[in-house]
Amino acid sequence: LDVRAGRVIANLDGFPTVTGVLAVPAEHRVYASATGAHAVVVVDDSLLEIAARVPGAQFPDGIAYAAGERRVFVSDESGRRELVFDAATNAVVARIELGGEAGNTQYDPGSHCVIVAVQDANRLLVIDPATAAIVRRIDLDEAVQYPHGLYIDAPHRLAFVAGQASAT
């Protein structure tokens, strides 16, 4: 979609049941969680063509990009893990076991970490993108139950977490 002109400039096939989309201008890529194909579809934003399909997730959902490491992080909701792949090669470099269903995934440029909402564990996990290791666990109180939605306001050092079960 050309936002300025208000018109569709391309329509690509091969994205069954997309739940997450992330544009990464630095890589000239758009990443889409195609849950119906159990893969992340990588689109070249200058050619408007599918560049790759990265398999390995049962239910790919949220997508985050760690620029310094050139890594893409994808929450695998029903797979209960975080899929990590190299943005240059599209090769999977890690699968991080989360100990629960993965909600959304966001990169925090302030801490240089990836944060994942773990729904049924009622917590946030903080991941070092360079090592793909969990470096912190943040338990949420009962006011936020089944965290799924997540937004990082880096300038103000805030995380907004949507509790699906608690409607908070």
Side-chain angles (χ1 to χ4, degrees):
L1 176 66
D2 181 331
V3 178
R4 288 188 191 120
R7 64 181 180 88
V8 174
I9 58 173
N11 190 0
L12 304 176
D13 293 323
F15 298 83
T17 320
V18 172
T19 58
V21 175
L22 179 68
V24 181
E27 297 289 343
H28 296 285
R29 297 285 188 257
V30 175
Y31 300 94
S33 293
T35 59
H38 309 287
V40 177
V41 179
V42 182
V43 175
D44 181 307
D45 72 359
S46 57
L47 300 174
L48 299 176
E49 296 176 350
I50 294 174
R53 293 177 190 276
V54 181
Q58 288 179 27
F59 192 100
D61 196 9
I63 307 169
Y65 174 72
E69 292 74 21
R70 294 187 67 197
R71 287 183 168 181
V72 178
F73 288 73
V74 181
S75 57
D76 183 359
E77 185 170 358
S78 58
R80 304 168 65 93
R81 62 185 172 197
E82 190 79 3
L83 183 70
V84 185
F85 65 92
D86 183 283
T89 65
N90 298 313
V92 175
V93 297
R95 288 178 178 84
I96 306 165
E97 296 299 324
L98 302 175
E101 292 179 0
N104 206 344
T105 297
Q106 294 286 311
Y107 178 72
D108 175 16
S111 67
H112 304 287
C113 289
V114 173
I115 301 173
V116 182
V118 183
Q119 299 170 146
D120 52 351
N122 214 49
R123 74 171 45 119
L124 300 178
L125 295 180
V126 181
I127 299 170
D128 179 337
T131 63
I134 297 169
V135 296
R136 187 168 178 208
R137 290 169 172 76
I138 302 169
D139 291 324
L140 301 173
D141 65 26
E142 291 302 310
V144 181
Q145 296 174 10
Y146 207 76
H148 185 85
L150 176 63
Y151 176 77
I152 305 298
D153 178 358
H156 296 102
R157 305 291 301 140
L158 295 171
F160 292 89
V161 183
Q164 191 170 328
S166 57
T168 56

